[in-house]
Amino acid sequence: MKNFLFYSCKKATELIEKSKVINLNPIEKSRLAIHVSMCDSCRTYHQTSDILDRKLSEHLHQQTETESDLGEKKEALLKKLKIE
Amino acid sequence: MSQPENKKELLNTWVNNYYGDLYRWAKFKISDSHLAEDLVQEVFLVAADNIEKFRNQSTPKTWLFKILNNKLVDQYRIKTNSKVHPMEERQLFELTDSLFDKNSNWASTSQSQVWNQNLDLDSELEQNLTQCMYSLPELWKKVVFEKYYENQDTDKICTTNDLSKANYWQIMHRMKLFLKDCIEKMVNKNH
């Protein structure tokens, strides 16, 4: 793995994240593919990264209130502000 | 702005325009809807008392968020007996560096079962995710919120937070390394 041709795991996992932001160039792409094909841990990292993406958006959206809930809260606040 | 009617009208507009954003942000930061509601209410009470001080030097939204963020910091101080603290960016880089050996390959190659989607570990995963998120540096939490909750595109997130694209994917990289490690440790502790 020390060969200049090959990415380290740290670099490979960074490139996995980079590829989610911009397109990798062909050299990066093939070097990453070679690394991942030989490295179980980085393959797992890629899956974990996808799971985290999914969980983070689900998790944050679960916390969402419906618009009508928010409307009620707004009304209560407006009432309170008028009394003050 | 000294006339009471004018003040009422202004507050009314602010509540209508910014309540949702303030509330969602507070709830995201403290994961407690009742407390979030109370805090946002306090924000508007403070705003009502100090409305003369607001002289359009900033946008109302910025001003209200500033008040809210002060409240959130106070809230955080009250809860300091909690075991988890937001970390500095530098700490997080060090911690995630330590997951790799001197050749920058994984220090440990043992695989955690928590990521095995065939096992039904979702509720455990989510609970630990919430806890681990607390430790993220404030800027990173903001980026997470904008990306995953508000679905803002990368360009916008980078501009508002003064980040290059490279900064952005490095944050994503380190954030995921950290969350992966943190969740795995919590799961190990509970078994």
Side-chain angles (χ1 to χ4, degrees):
Chain A
M1 288 282 187
K2 282 178 206 161
N3 194 304
F4 73 99
L5 259 175
F6 300 110
Y7 286 137
S8 66
C9 294
K10 198 202 252 176
K11 186 71 190 169
T13 51
E14 187 188 328
L15 280 187
I16 289 169
E17 298 307 328
K18 183 180 178 181
S19 73
K20 293 184 175 194
V21 178
I22 58 171
N23 288 330
L24 300 181
N25 68 43
I27 297 166
E28 288 173 323
K29 224 182 235 173
S30 50
R31 284 173 75 181
L32 179 61
I34 293 168
H35 181 103
V36 170
S37 73
M38 299 186 305
C39 179
D40 282 346
S41 298
C42 284
R43 212 158 37 237
T44 308
Y45 174 88
H46 201 161
Q47 286 163 2
T48 303
S49 169
D50 291 345
I51 295 171
L52 281 173
D53 280 334
R54 208 167 57 238
K55 287 288 162 208
L56 281 168
S57 47
E58 279 171 14
H59 174 76
L60 292 180
H61 281 94
Q62 266 171 16
Q63 303 189 351
T64 322
E65 233 87 345
T66 62
E67 282 306 311
S68 73
D69 288 339
L70 271 185
E72 276 172 31
K73 290 192 169 76
K74 264 189 208 174
E75 284 306 311
L77 175 58
L78 284 172
K79 258 184 215 153
K80 187 149 190 175
L81 284 171
K82 267 164 203 154
I83 298 164
E84 303 286 320
Chain B
M1 219 184 275
S2 52
Q3 289 128 349
E5 273 316 305
N6 215 339
K7 178 176 159 178
K8 256 186 204 174
E9 231 169 77
L10 198 57
L11 276 170
N12 213 320
T13 316
W14 289 355
V15 170
N16 280 316
N17 291 348
Y18 309 121
Y19 186 89
D21 289 339
L22 290 160
Y23 174 77
R24 280 188 284 266
W25 174 241
K27 197 171 165 194
F28 168 67
K29 289 295 285 280
I30 54 181
S31 310
D32 179 333
S33 54
H34 292 294
L35 193 53
E37 196 178 342
D38 289 347
L39 287 179
V40 175
Q41 191 163 54
E42 282 176 37
V43 169
F44 282 102
L45 293 175
V46 171
D49 286 343
N50 294 283
I51 207 156
E52 287 77 16
K53 288 183 200 156
F54 173 74
R55 292 197 184 85
N56 294 313
Q57 283 158 342
S58 57
T59 66
K61 191 177 178 181
T62 310
W63 189 58
L64 294 168
F65 264 91
K66 211 173 182 180
I67 302 173
L68 175 60
N69 283 330
N70 286 334
K71 298 244 164 247
L72 289 168
V73 171
D74 291 344
Q75 194 54 46
Y76 185 72
R77 288 208 189 102
I78 294 166
K79 284 168 115 184
T80 36
N81 60 344
S82 83
K83 279 170 260 164
V84 228
H85 299 276
M87 294 204 265
E88 302 287 328
E89 234 172 68
R90 181 186 46 80
Q91 281 177 289
L92 238 142
F93 270 86
E94 282 168 14
L95 199 149
T96 47
D97 275 340
S98 75
L99 301 175
F100 298 96
D101 64 18
K102 62 179 182 351
N103 299 318
S104 294
N105 292 319
W106 293 105
S108 157
T109 51
S110 70
Q111 310 255 357
S112 170
Q113 284 302 312
V114 70
W115 309 110
N116 184 340
Q117 293 292 281
N118 296 323
L119 303 174
D120 193 24
L121 291 168
D122 271 14
S123 63
E124 191 166 11
L125 187 61
E126 270 152 34
Q127 204 184 335
N128 292 324
L129 180 61
T130 311
Q131 285 231 34
C132 291
M133 295 246 299
Y134 270 118
S135 307
L136 294 176
E138 294 302 325
L139 170 70
W140 298 20
K141 275 192 206 131
K142 187 163 176 277
V143 171
V144 168
F145 180 73
E146 290 168 353
K147 174 178 165 62
Y148 294 99
Y149 184 90
E150 297 189 318
N151 295 325
Q152 287 185 26
D153 60 48
T154 310
D155 287 334
K156 193 173 170 205
I157 298 173
C158 287
T159 316
T160 42
N161 296 297
D162 204 13
L163 297 169
S164 67
K165 282 234 172 79
N167 291 150
Y168 175 82
W169 75 66
Q170 277 156 11
I171 288 178
M172 285 298 146
H173 180 219
R174 297 303 178 132
M175 176 194 76
K176 286 181 181 168
L177 285 171
F178 169 75
L179 290 178
K180 175 181 182 293
D181 181 56
C182 177
I183 290 170
E184 287 173 3
K185 278 183 182 147
M186 297 251 257
V187 171
N188 281 343
K189 225 192 299 177
N190 297 337
H191 284 279

